Amino acid sequence: MAGAMGGAAMLPRGAGGQAYASDGHGHGSAAANTPIPHTPKLTKYVDPLPIPRTAISDPSVYPGADYYDITMRPGTWKFHQELGSAKVWGYWAANPHDPRKPIGMGYLGPTLSVTRDHPTVVKYRNELPTTHLFQFVIDKIRNGDPQLTPTPPPPYKPIQPFPANVNVWNVVHQHGGFTAPQSDGMPLQSFSPDGIRAEPYSGLYPSRVKPNESICAYTNHDRSCMLWYHDHGMGMTSVNVYAGLAGLYRVGDPADDRLGLPRGEFEVPLILQDRTFHPDGSLAYTMTLREGEDTPIVNGKAYPYLEVEQRRYRLRVLNASNERFWRLRFEVPEDVLPQPILPFWLIGTDGGLRSPLQMLNFLISPAERYDLIVDFTHMPIGTKIKLTNYNAPVHYPGGGGPEISEIMEFHVTKRPSGGGDRSTPPKKLELPTTAPIKVTARTRRREWVLYQHKLFTTMTFNAVPFMEPSEDFIKAGSTEIWEYINPNHDAHPMHVHLVNFQVLNRQPIDAAGYQDQYEKWIDSGRKPEDRPVLANYLTGPPIPPDPDEALSRKDTVKSYPETVTRIVINEFDPPTERIAGLPGSGTELPATYVQHCHILEHEDDDLMRPWTIVGDDHHSGGDHAGGFGEHH
């Protein structure tokens, strides 16, 4: 869905090298005179920031593992005190101490707080309606709307992303986790409230689940980090997440206790999203009409505030927006500091802790996580610090979506409680560091071209639709460099399932020249020996990773426009052992995972491909799908 909404277009044939600007005015499927909803004016900073509750595990169900029973169901939620209640979807965790009081908010889901290397088993139950909260989007896709329905380039034919009798289906993806493919929550593992399953669906422990349920087993063999879980339903991820299906998955390590990081109430999650509301407070999904939404939401509240003490806080920031990049900074009154920006320290990214880095601002794309230390120690009582957003249009870097400049406030109201701030000053933190992954001239390189056949239409990797079987086979235990070749005008956040990686470098390219030759290569039959050679289109030297990316463990990377972005991966080793005693919970090779753009509308519109890990005995270069996609 929504290549239409991207504005992220390669140069159409015959463009003569002239770049087309992104159309920022309702270039979706609506007629030019279709009214676009706008959120009514809201008073800012009057609602306290909600903190998602933490789910309670039941360790008695699966010996040696924590167990959670989580249900997807509809509910209501007030996004602001001046708005009425909205119909939303959310995750609710069963409470083993009191079955009558499930844990959740209605919108989003409870936090799953787990311990490193101690496995988790989750049963997911789908009790959502069979008519979608945004049914008009589902209808447009099913009716073949050319700007919403995945339409691959020739010679491929369109395939409907969901069955004719399904308006709602879902699957939960543990984003960033070291997970066997059958528990990963990939799109073709979707299942509906009435028990209709995608064709390759295969769940764990089938004797313990009903048709509208699925069991997943997670190793938690991750470093201390903030993962998250969210819907990944085939063809409708964007509207499912927009309705509320996302939550935090915190992997803790007992060794962290001696690092001196802020803990307990002084470790605060911030889930950033943008939403639009009708005057009655209900959710308005407008991304069929324009880029992005018009109101900031943090942990489910519009323009919230958080009361803080004069001490250091750890802020765990997740960008859970569908499309919006945010460039964030902390603004203080001019009479408080010589400069109106409060510095902070970056101490971690997607895959865990890193060397502390002092910063004034950062750019976060959808699905990325930033782990920050913000010091309010010297802020006078009564100070109000704004979290603001600037120079980050939708789509980044040059879109025309609604501008959002203010997000939330921090109100300094108290002196330090509990005998003072015992956390370690950031300059003195001794955090785990990450050694650079070694690469040589012989390290395997794999190219992923962000291809769009026509302006405002479907985007694909390498001009191949998602439903085609895997063509990329990777030896278990190997190291590879993946090159994202982006001749488009917009940046894309690229997420690779299963692995963490490091950003290697970026390099500018002759986008028009590469596009022209790539189109000729497609038209002439896609012969491998005639494929354009990337080296012939490089226009400058390699650019090192941004400081916040350097020697950071990542699962999502910003692929900037008219640039090749290179990442290096050495974690092609899925978990093979049985997890918590569950039959079939370990990985068998070949094993297929997916990678995709984390602009959810682009993901739904086919900017997603499978890839397969194989063992040493694998000799085929053909169409083995690794148990994924061979039926298409």
Side-chain angles (χ1 to χ4, degrees):
M1 170 193 342
M5 301 159 235
M10 297 176 92
L11 303 176
R13 279 177 270 200
Q18 299 299 310
Y20 283 73
S22 296
D23 178 0
H25 302 285
H27 48 258
S29 57
N33 60 353
T34 301
I36 300 176
H38 295 276
T39 300
K41 187 175 181 180
L42 301 174
T43 304
K44 297 175 182 176
Y45 319 127
V46 294
D47 286 301
L49 177 77
I51 305 297
R53 295 176 62 194
T54 298
I56 300 172
S57 70
D58 185 347
S60 67
V61 179
Y62 292 93
D66 288 325
Y67 173 72
Y68 299 91
D69 188 311
I70 293 182
T71 300
M72 298 170 259
R73 71 181 198 217
T76 59
W77 177 255
K78 281 179 70 73
F79 288 90
H80 190 278
Q81 63 180 253
E82 296 170 357
L83 293 172
S85 295
K87 293 181 179 179
V88 295
W89 293 352
Y91 297 109
W92 291 83
N95 186 343
H97 301 327
D98 190 343
R100 298 168 299 175
K101 296 181 178 180
I103 299 169
M105 300 196 306
Y107 183 74
L108 300 175
T111 297
L112 272 63
S113 186
V114 305
T115 302
R116 179 181 180 180
D117 290 328
H118 184 72
T120 296
V121 179
V122 184
K123 178 188 281 188
Y124 295 107
R125 183 178 299 104
N126 194 341
E127 293 184 357
L128 293 169
T130 55
T131 299
H132 207 285
L133 194 59
F134 305 106
Q135 184 64 35
F136 74 97
V137 178
I138 304 301
D139 292 341
K140 285 177 179 290
I141 296 170
R142 179 168 287 121
N143 293 333
D145 186 303
Q147 294 181 335
L148 297 177
T149 306
T151 306
Y156 300 104
K157 303 298 182 184
I159 298 176
Q160 278 287 331
F162 37 78
N165 59 341
V166 169
N167 295 315
V168 175
W169 64 1
N170 311 85
V171 66
V172 181
H173 170 50
Q174 185 207 40
H175 182 116
F178 179 69
T179 306
Q182 59 270 40
S183 293
D184 187 62
M186 289 179 279
L188 292 179
Q189 295 166 336
S190 298
F191 55 102
S192 74
D194 48 354
I196 300 170
R197 295 171 171 177
E199 193 170 336
Y201 171 94
S202 59
L204 300 180
Y205 231 137
S207 64
R208 290 199 178 189
V209 297
K210 298 176 181 178
N212 68 327
E213 297 176 341
S214 177
I215 291 178
C216 294
Y218 304 131
T219 65
N220 298 324
H221 186 55
D222 304 278
R223 290 156 185 84
S224 171
C225 61
M226 181 69 82
L227 308 179
W228 62 304
Y229 62 100
H230 62 80
D231 189 86
H232 217 317
M234 182 66 203
M236 58 181 77
T237 296
S238 57
V239 285
N240 289 347
V241 172
Y242 195 88
L245 294 179
L248 297 173
Y249 193 104
R250 182 187 182 278
V251 181
D253 186 336
D256 291 351
D257 293 347
R258 59 176 178 263
L259 295 177
L261 299 173
R263 300 165 57 186
E265 63 182 297
F266 310 115
E267 179 182 350
V268 180
L270 301 178
I271 305 172
L272 270 60
Q273 299 173 307
D274 55 334
R275 297 289 184 263
T276 299
F277 302 97
H278 294 292
D280 65 357
S282 61
L283 281 167
Y285 180 86
T286 73
M287 283 180 278
T288 56
L289 306 172
R290 67 177 177 198
E291 302 166 333
E293 304 292 349
D294 64 14
T295 303
I297 302 298
V298 188
N299 296 356
K301 285 294 179 181
Y303 301 109
Y305 71 90
L306 176 68
E307 292 188 354
V308 296
E309 298 181 5
Q310 291 174 310
R311 65 190 305 148
R312 287 178 287 272
Y313 279 73
R314 185 181 184 186
L315 304 182
R316 312 295 292 269
V317 183
L318 160 67
N319 183 355
S321 305
N322 282 37
E323 300 186 341
R324 185 178 291 272
F325 287 57
W326 305 84
R327 188 184 299 279
L328 302 175
R329 63 186 177 189
F330 298 87
E331 295 188 5
V332 297
E334 294 182 0
D335 60 346
V336 173
L337 290 177
Q339 61 177 11
I341 306 299
L342 179 64
F344 58 89
W345 291 81
L346 174 70
I347 63 166
T349 56
D350 307 341
L353 297 169
R354 52 152 289 157
S355 299
L357 174 68
Q358 192 171 34
M359 304 182 73
L360 293 174
N361 66 78
F362 64 99
L363 179 70
I364 182 170
S365 69
E368 287 187 300
R369 284 88 69 208
Y370 276 63
D371 194 347
L372 312 178
I373 300 290
V374 181
D375 193 347
F376 300 112
T377 300
H378 302 294
M379 298 292 102
I381 297 293
T383 303
K384 295 181 178 180
I385 297 102
K386 282 187 173 66
L387 179 63
T388 62
N389 174 54
Y390 74 104
N391 196 25
V394 184
H395 291 105
Y396 185 82
E403 181 181 347
I404 294 175
S405 58
E406 298 182 31
I407 301 171
M408 67 172 291
E409 277 189 345
F410 299 86
H411 296 174
V412 183
T413 59
K414 305 175 187 175
R415 288 179 170 80
S417 59
D421 188 352
R422 294 187 177 90
S423 67
T424 303
K427 285 184 179 180
K428 297 182 179 180
L429 282 172
E430 296 181 3
L431 301 180
T433 58
T434 302
I437 299 173
K438 294 181 179 179
V439 299
T440 69
R442 299 182 63 183
T443 302
R444 171 73 159 84
R445 291 175 181 252
R446 195 175 298 272
E447 293 182 357
W448 302 98
V449 179
L450 282 63
Y451 175 74
Q452 191 170 35
H453 186 60
K454 294 180 181 179
L455 196 67
F456 306 137
T457 58
T458 293
M459 284 179 279
T460 57
F461 283 116
N462 298 340
V464 180
F466 170 66
M467 289 295 209
E468 288 298 306
S470 175
E471 299 175 342
D472 292 272
F473 302 94
I474 300 159
K475 293 288 186 182
S478 64
T479 296
E480 291 198 356
I481 296 170
W482 285 15
E483 300 180 301
Y484 290 102
I485 303 169
N486 183 359
N488 306 323
H489 309 308
D490 293 347
H492 298 264
M494 295 302 169
H495 171 51
V496 187
H497 287 212
L498 175 69
V499 302
N500 275 185
F501 52 76
Q502 292 177 13
V503 181
L504 187 60
N505 59 45
R506 295 180 175 87
Q507 206 162 358
I509 61 173
D510 172 9
Y514 186 89
Q515 160 71 12
D516 181 63
Q517 292 304 308
Y518 200 81
E519 291 282 5
K520 290 178 179 177
W521 174 70
I522 291 173
D523 290 344
S524 62
R526 306 180 186 227
K527 297 177 182 177
E529 63 271 18
D530 294 334
R531 181 172 173 143
V533 177
L534 174 62
N536 295 337
Y537 300 91
L538 302 175
T539 60
I543 302 167
D546 294 335
D548 54 293
E549 299 172 320
L551 297 182
S552 291
R553 302 182 60 81
K554 301 282 294 168
D555 57 51
T556 304
V557 64
K558 307 173 189 77
S559 174
Y560 290 127
E562 300 179 10
T563 300
V564 54
T565 297
R566 299 186 181 95
I567 63 174
V568 55
I569 309 171
N570 68 346
E571 295 190 349
F572 295 110
D573 291 292
T576 56
E577 300 296 324
R578 180 181 288 193
I579 303 168
L582 267 74
S585 57
T587 304
E588 295 184 5
L589 300 182
T592 296
Y593 292 86
V594 301
Q595 62 142 342
H596 57 85
C597 177
H598 223 284
I599 292 176
L600 301 184
E601 283 71 18
H602 294 177
E603 169 189 335
D604 283 343
D605 199 34
D606 239 17
L607 193 48
M608 178 165 57
R609 280 293 289 153
W611 52 274
T612 302
I613 300 174
V614 298
D616 291 334
D617 57 348
H618 181 91
H619 302 291
S620 170
D623 291 332
H624 196 301
F628 183 101
E630 64 270 24
H631 64 289
H632 296 293

PDB file of all heavy atoms in Angstrom, residues 330-343 360 375 378-380 383 385:
ATOM      1  N   PHE A 330      16.179  18.771  22.915  1.00  0.00           N
ATOM      2  CA  PHE A 330      15.558  19.214  24.150  1.00  0.00           C
ATOM      3  C   PHE A 330      15.796  20.714  24.289  1.00  0.00           C
ATOM      4  O   PHE A 330      16.934  21.158  24.473  1.00  0.00           O
ATOM      5  CB  PHE A 330      16.141  18.463  25.343  1.00  0.00           C
ATOM      6  CG  PHE A 330      15.908  16.980  25.299  1.00  0.00           C
ATOM      7  CD1 PHE A 330      16.795  16.133  24.642  1.00  0.00           C
ATOM      8  CD2 PHE A 330      14.785  16.422  25.892  1.00  0.00           C
ATOM      9  CE1 PHE A 330      16.580  14.771  24.593  1.00  0.00           C
ATOM     10  CE2 PHE A 330      14.557  15.055  25.850  1.00  0.00           C
ATOM     11  CZ  PHE A 330      15.460  14.221  25.192  1.00  0.00           C
ATOM     12  N   GLU A 331      14.730  21.508  24.211  1.00  0.00           N
ATOM     13  CA  GLU A 331      14.840  22.964  24.253  1.00  0.00           C
ATOM     14  C   GLU A 331      14.510  23.470  25.653  1.00  0.00           C
ATOM     15  O   GLU A 331      13.514  23.074  26.256  1.00  0.00           O
ATOM     16  CB  GLU A 331      13.911  23.609  23.228  1.00  0.00           C
ATOM     17  CG  GLU A 331      14.277  23.291  21.786  1.00  0.00           C
ATOM     18  CD  GLU A 331      13.468  24.095  20.786  1.00  0.00           C
ATOM     19  OE1 GLU A 331      12.691  24.974  21.214  1.00  0.00           O
ATOM     20  OE2 GLU A 331      13.612  23.843  19.573  1.00  0.00           O
ATOM     21  N   VAL A 332      15.371  24.357  26.168  1.00  0.00           N
ATOM     22  CA  VAL A 332      15.181  24.924  27.499  1.00  0.00           C
ATOM     23  C   VAL A 332      14.992  26.433  27.372  1.00  0.00           C
ATOM     24  O   VAL A 332      15.398  27.033  26.377  1.00  0.00           O
ATOM     25  CB  VAL A 332      16.386  24.618  28.408  1.00  0.00           C
ATOM     26  CG1 VAL A 332      16.525  23.121  28.620  1.00  0.00           C
ATOM     27  CG2 VAL A 332      17.670  25.177  27.829  1.00  0.00           C
ATOM     28  N   PRO A 333      14.369  27.067  28.362  1.00  0.00           N
ATOM     29  CA  PRO A 333      14.223  28.526  28.319  1.00  0.00           C
ATOM     30  C   PRO A 333      15.589  29.215  28.233  1.00  0.00           C
ATOM     31  O   PRO A 333      16.590  28.744  28.786  1.00  0.00           O
ATOM     32  CB  PRO A 333      13.510  28.852  29.633  1.00  0.00           C
ATOM     33  CG  PRO A 333      12.802  27.582  30.006  1.00  0.00           C
ATOM     34  CD  PRO A 333      13.685  26.474  29.531  1.00  0.00           C
ATOM     35  N   GLU A 334      15.637  30.356  27.550  1.00  0.00           N
ATOM     36  CA  GLU A 334      16.900  31.042  27.310  1.00  0.00           C
ATOM     37  C   GLU A 334      17.566  31.529  28.589  1.00  0.00           C
ATOM     38  O   GLU A 334      18.785  31.737  28.621  1.00  0.00           O
ATOM     39  CB  GLU A 334      16.680  32.207  26.347  1.00  0.00           C
ATOM     40  CG  GLU A 334      16.280  31.755  24.944  1.00  0.00           C
ATOM     41  CD  GLU A 334      16.116  32.917  23.991  1.00  0.00           C
ATOM     42  OE1 GLU A 334      16.325  34.065  24.433  1.00  0.00           O
ATOM     43  OE2 GLU A 334      15.791  32.675  22.821  1.00  0.00           O
ATOM     44  N   ASP A 335      16.809  31.717  29.665  1.00  0.00           N
ATOM     45  CA  ASP A 335      17.417  32.218  30.904  1.00  0.00           C
ATOM     46  C   ASP A 335      17.973  31.093  31.783  1.00  0.00           C
ATOM     47  O   ASP A 335      18.466  31.344  32.885  1.00  0.00           O
ATOM     48  CB  ASP A 335      16.403  33.037  31.700  1.00  0.00           C
ATOM     49  CG  ASP A 335      15.167  32.224  32.085  1.00  0.00           C
ATOM     50  OD1 ASP A 335      14.981  31.122  31.525  1.00  0.00           O
ATOM     51  OD2 ASP A 335      14.376  32.691  32.925  1.00  0.00           O
ATOM     52  N   VAL A 336      17.906  29.856  31.290  1.00  0.00           N
ATOM     53  CA  VAL A 336      18.390  28.721  32.074  1.00  0.00           C
ATOM     54  C   VAL A 336      19.795  28.303  31.653  1.00  0.00           C
ATOM     55  O   VAL A 336      20.657  28.014  32.483  1.00  0.00           O
ATOM     56  CB  VAL A 336      17.409  27.532  31.960  1.00  0.00           C
ATOM     57  CG1 VAL A 336      17.982  26.283  32.636  1.00  0.00           C
ATOM     58  CG2 VAL A 336      16.065  27.893  32.580  1.00  0.00           C
ATOM     59  N   LEU A 337      20.040  28.253  30.345  1.00  0.00           N
ATOM     60  CA  LEU A 337      21.347  27.870  29.818  1.00  0.00           C
ATOM     61  C   LEU A 337      21.841  28.928  28.844  1.00  0.00           C
ATOM     62  O   LEU A 337      21.027  29.630  28.220  1.00  0.00           O
ATOM     63  CB  LEU A 337      21.265  26.516  29.094  1.00  0.00           C
ATOM     64  CG  LEU A 337      21.043  25.256  29.942  1.00  0.00           C
ATOM     65  CD1 LEU A 337      20.922  24.038  29.031  1.00  0.00           C
ATOM     66  CD2 LEU A 337      22.170  25.053  30.937  1.00  0.00           C
ATOM     67  N   PRO A 338      23.154  29.031  28.644  1.00  0.00           N
ATOM     68  CA  PRO A 338      23.690  29.983  27.657  1.00  0.00           C
ATOM     69  C   PRO A 338      23.173  29.722  26.256  1.00  0.00           C
ATOM     70  O   PRO A 338      22.980  30.638  25.468  1.00  0.00           O
ATOM     71  CB  PRO A 338      25.207  29.777  27.752  1.00  0.00           C
ATOM     72  CG  PRO A 338      25.437  29.182  29.093  1.00  0.00           C
ATOM     73  CD  PRO A 338      24.225  28.354  29.395  1.00  0.00           C
ATOM     74  N   GLN A 339      22.961  28.437  25.943  1.00  0.00           N
ATOM     75  CA  GLN A 339      22.327  28.080  24.673  1.00  0.00           C
ATOM     76  C   GLN A 339      21.011  27.372  24.993  1.00  0.00           C
ATOM     77  O   GLN A 339      20.913  26.675  26.000  1.00  0.00           O
ATOM     78  CB  GLN A 339      23.231  27.176  23.830  1.00  0.00           C
ATOM     79  CG  GLN A 339      23.565  25.849  24.500  1.00  0.00           C
ATOM     80  CD  GLN A 339      24.404  24.947  23.610  1.00  0.00           C
ATOM     81  OE1 GLN A 339      24.904  25.374  22.578  1.00  0.00           O
ATOM     82  NE2 GLN A 339      24.535  23.687  23.994  1.00  0.00           N
ATOM     83  N   PRO A 340      20.013  27.536  24.130  1.00  0.00           N
ATOM     84  CA  PRO A 340      18.675  27.015  24.489  1.00  0.00           C
ATOM     85  C   PRO A 340      18.489  25.524  24.222  1.00  0.00           C
ATOM     86  O   PRO A 340      17.366  25.052  24.140  1.00  0.00           O
ATOM     87  CB  PRO A 340      17.751  27.851  23.604  1.00  0.00           C
ATOM     88  CG  PRO A 340      18.575  28.169  22.405  1.00  0.00           C
ATOM     89  CD  PRO A 340      19.986  28.324  22.888  1.00  0.00           C
ATOM     90  N   ILE A 341      19.566  24.767  24.060  1.00  0.00           N
ATOM     91  CA  ILE A 341      19.483  23.337  23.795  1.00  0.00           C
ATOM     92  C   ILE A 341      20.177  22.589  24.921  1.00  0.00           C
ATOM     93  O   ILE A 341      21.328  22.880  25.266  1.00  0.00           O
ATOM     94  CB  ILE A 341      20.140  22.974  22.444  1.00  0.00           C
ATOM     95  CG1 ILE A 341      19.554  23.813  21.301  1.00  0.00           C
ATOM     96  CG2 ILE A 341      19.972  21.482  22.163  1.00  0.00           C
ATOM     97  CD1 ILE A 341      18.067  23.627  21.094  1.00  0.00           C
ATOM     98  N   LEU A 342      19.488  21.611  25.512  1.00  0.00           N
ATOM     99  CA  LEU A 342      20.050  20.812  26.585  1.00  0.00           C
ATOM    100  C   LEU A 342      20.796  19.620  25.990  1.00  0.00           C
ATOM    101  O   LEU A 342      20.193  18.776  25.322  1.00  0.00           O
ATOM    102  CB  LEU A 342      18.933  20.311  27.507  1.00  0.00           C
ATOM    103  CG  LEU A 342      19.357  19.434  28.684  1.00  0.00           C
ATOM    104  CD1 LEU A 342      20.238  20.220  29.654  1.00  0.00           C
ATOM    105  CD2 LEU A 342      18.132  18.867  29.398  1.00  0.00           C
ATOM    106  N   PRO A 343      22.115  19.504  26.199  1.00  0.00           N
ATOM    107  CA  PRO A 343      22.836  18.331  25.699  1.00  0.00           C
ATOM    108  C   PRO A 343      22.369  17.060  26.404  1.00  0.00           C
ATOM    109  O   PRO A 343      21.839  17.095  27.519  1.00  0.00           O
ATOM    110  CB  PRO A 343      24.302  18.641  26.033  1.00  0.00           C
ATOM    111  CG  PRO A 343      24.351  20.109  26.311  1.00  0.00           C
ATOM    112  CD  PRO A 343      22.997  20.456  26.874  1.00  0.00           C
ATOM    113  N   LEU A 360      23.525  16.919  20.720  1.00  0.00           N
ATOM    114  CA  LEU A 360      22.541  17.998  20.858  1.00  0.00           C
ATOM    115  C   LEU A 360      21.228  17.657  20.177  1.00  0.00           C
ATOM    116  O   LEU A 360      20.186  18.228  20.490  1.00  0.00           O
ATOM    117  CB  LEU A 360      23.095  19.307  20.279  1.00  0.00           C
ATOM    118  CG  LEU A 360      24.269  19.929  21.024  1.00  0.00           C
ATOM    119  CD1 LEU A 360      24.794  21.141  20.252  1.00  0.00           C
ATOM    120  CD2 LEU A 360      23.861  20.345  22.432  1.00  0.00           C
ATOM    121  N   ASP A 375      20.142  14.826  31.636  1.00  0.00           N
ATOM    122  CA  ASP A 375      20.449  15.269  32.993  1.00  0.00           C
ATOM    123  C   ASP A 375      19.686  16.554  33.310  1.00  0.00           C
ATOM    124  O   ASP A 375      19.956  17.616  32.761  1.00  0.00           O
ATOM    125  CB  ASP A 375      21.960  15.512  33.109  1.00  0.00           C
ATOM    126  CG  ASP A 375      22.407  15.668  34.554  1.00  0.00           C
ATOM    127  OD1 ASP A 375      21.528  15.840  35.436  1.00  0.00           O
ATOM    128  OD2 ASP A 375      23.624  15.636  34.803  1.00  0.00           O
ATOM    129  N   HIS A 378      20.688  20.293  37.003  1.00  0.00           N
ATOM    130  CA  HIS A 378      20.907  21.725  37.188  1.00  0.00           C
ATOM    131  C   HIS A 378      19.768  22.582  36.635  1.00  0.00           C
ATOM    132  O   HIS A 378      19.928  23.804  36.503  1.00  0.00           O
ATOM    133  CB  HIS A 378      22.236  22.119  36.553  1.00  0.00           C
ATOM    134  CG  HIS A 378      23.410  21.357  37.108  1.00  0.00           C
ATOM    135  ND1 HIS A 378      23.831  21.501  38.414  1.00  0.00           N
ATOM    136  CD2 HIS A 378      24.208  20.417  36.542  1.00  0.00           C
ATOM    137  CE1 HIS A 378      24.861  20.686  38.621  1.00  0.00           C
ATOM    138  NE2 HIS A 378      25.117  20.022  37.507  1.00  0.00           N
ATOM    139  N   MET A 379      18.651  21.951  36.333  1.00  0.00           N
ATOM    140  CA  MET A 379      17.486  22.703  35.887  1.00  0.00           C
ATOM    141  C   MET A 379      16.725  23.231  37.104  1.00  0.00           C
ATOM    142  O   MET A 379      16.355  22.436  37.985  1.00  0.00           O
ATOM    143  CB  MET A 379      16.563  21.824  35.042  1.00  0.00           C
ATOM    144  CG  MET A 379      17.190  21.279  33.753  1.00  0.00           C
ATOM    145  SD  MET A 379      17.535  22.545  32.521  1.00  0.00           S
ATOM    146  CE  MET A 379      19.311  22.737  32.763  1.00  0.00           C
ATOM    147  N   PRO A 380      16.488  24.528  37.210  1.00  0.00           N
ATOM    148  CA  PRO A 380      15.769  25.066  38.369  1.00  0.00           C
ATOM    149  C   PRO A 380      14.358  24.480  38.493  1.00  0.00           C
ATOM    150  O   PRO A 380      13.722  24.147  37.479  1.00  0.00           O
ATOM    151  CB  PRO A 380      15.716  26.571  38.086  1.00  0.00           C
ATOM    152  CG  PRO A 380      16.815  26.832  37.102  1.00  0.00           C
ATOM    153  CD  PRO A 380      16.924  25.592  36.280  1.00  0.00           C
ATOM    154  N   THR A 383      11.282  24.673  35.842  1.00  0.00           N
ATOM    155  CA  THR A 383      11.712  24.715  34.444  1.00  0.00           C
ATOM    156  C   THR A 383      10.886  23.737  33.609  1.00  0.00           C
ATOM    157  O   THR A 383      10.586  22.622  34.053  1.00  0.00           O
ATOM    158  CB  THR A 383      13.203  24.362  34.319  1.00  0.00           C
ATOM    159  OG1 THR A 383      13.969  25.260  35.123  1.00  0.00           O
ATOM    160  CG2 THR A 383      13.668  24.464  32.872  1.00  0.00           C
ATOM    161  N   ILE A 385      11.085  21.864  29.950  1.00  0.00           N
ATOM    162  CA  ILE A 385      11.949  21.527  28.817  1.00  0.00           C
ATOM    163  C   ILE A 385      11.093  20.878  27.747  1.00  0.00           C
ATOM    164  O   ILE A 385      10.353  19.928  28.032  1.00  0.00           O
ATOM    165  CB  ILE A 385      13.087  20.582  29.242  1.00  0.00           C
ATOM    166  CG1 ILE A 385      13.994  21.273  30.274  1.00  0.00           C
ATOM    167  CG2 ILE A 385      13.912  20.150  28.046  1.00  0.00           C
ATOM    168  CD1 ILE A 385      13.745  20.825  31.666  1.00  0.00           C
TER     169      ILE A 385
END
